[in-house]
Amino acid sequence: MTAHTQEADIQDLERTWLDEAITLATNSVANGGGPFGALVAKGGEIVAIGNNRVTSTLDPTAHAEVSAMRAACKELGTFSLEGCVLVTSCEPCPMCLSSALWARVDRIVFAADRHDAAVAGFDDRKFYDLFEKQPASKWPLAVEHLDLPNRTAPFDAWVAKADRIDY
């Protein structure tokens, strides 16, 4: 198999996965969830799926991407999704992008973008702008640092723990 053929096969597979993510998102709407769907794949196989469950679970972090990554970690028995692809119906918001970075996902593939989402009332641009352009003093919430003498105690305990699992 040539590199070009292999790349074409991967693109075909990712298009199939994107169709699946879009179907998950559409079904989520029909079942009372938000219009977002995602899946995690590894080695050419779907490991886990997820859809937006923010309103149904009253959990503002239950975005489709986070739900899919949580399920994939459970399925794979690890907190690291190295070697995995996150496929999502829409461009990940800053929270989901950060979660994918923490999970060590290799790649993200998405269909609709943030502008498509904004048209439907899901305008994450203010969050992107917040992180990209706004100093913390202009954020819509206060973020304060209080310097306590024991502030590093948890880290000291972590560093001293011989059997810790680094991540």
Side-chain angles (χ1 to χ4, degrees):
M1 181 179 295
T2 67
H4 178 70
T5 304
Q6 192 174 21
E7 186 176 312
D9 288 346
I10 291 170
Q11 287 179 345
D12 287 345
L13 189 55
E14 288 177 349
R15 287 182 186 281
T16 300
W17 292 339
L18 270 174
D19 282 338
E20 176 67 18
I22 291 167
T23 299
L24 288 167
T26 305
N27 289 343
S28 180
V29 172
N31 294 319
F36 303 94
L39 61 88
V40 174
K42 184 173 186 174
E45 300 291 327
I46 296 174
V47 174
I49 61 172
N51 66 287
N52 182 283
R53 297 179 298 131
V54 170
T55 57
S56 64
T57 62
L58 305 179
D59 178 356
T61 68
H63 289 200
E65 298 89 341
V66 172
S67 297
M69 287 186 287
R70 285 177 179 155
C73 287
K74 285 182 183 175
E75 180 66 27
L76 296 171
T78 180
F79 57 84
S80 174
L81 295 177
E82 287 184 59
C84 293
V85 178
L86 174 62
V87 180
T88 180
S89 63
C90 188
E91 179 179 6
C93 73
M95 178 187 71
C96 293
L97 181 58
S98 296
S99 297
L101 288 167
W102 272 108
R104 310 301 195 265
V105 169
D106 283 5
R107 295 181 60 234
I108 297 173
V109 179
F110 64 90
D113 65 19
R114 65 183 83 171
H115 307 292
D116 298 320
V119 170
F122 295 91
D123 194 352
D124 295 338
R125 287 178 292 198
K126 63 184 175 184
F127 300 126
Y128 286 101
D129 290 347
L130 179 71
F131 293 119
E132 293 171 0
K133 300 175 184 173
Q134 295 293 324
S137 62
K138 301 216 183 225
W139 288 10
L141 74 162
V143 178
E144 299 178 29
H145 173 237
L146 298 178
D147 190 9
L148 299 180
N150 64 340
R151 73 186 183 279
T152 63
F155 298 120
D156 297 340
W158 175 257
V159 169
K161 184 174 172 55
D163 63 343
R164 71 179 180 265
I165 299 172
D166 291 327
Y167 61 98

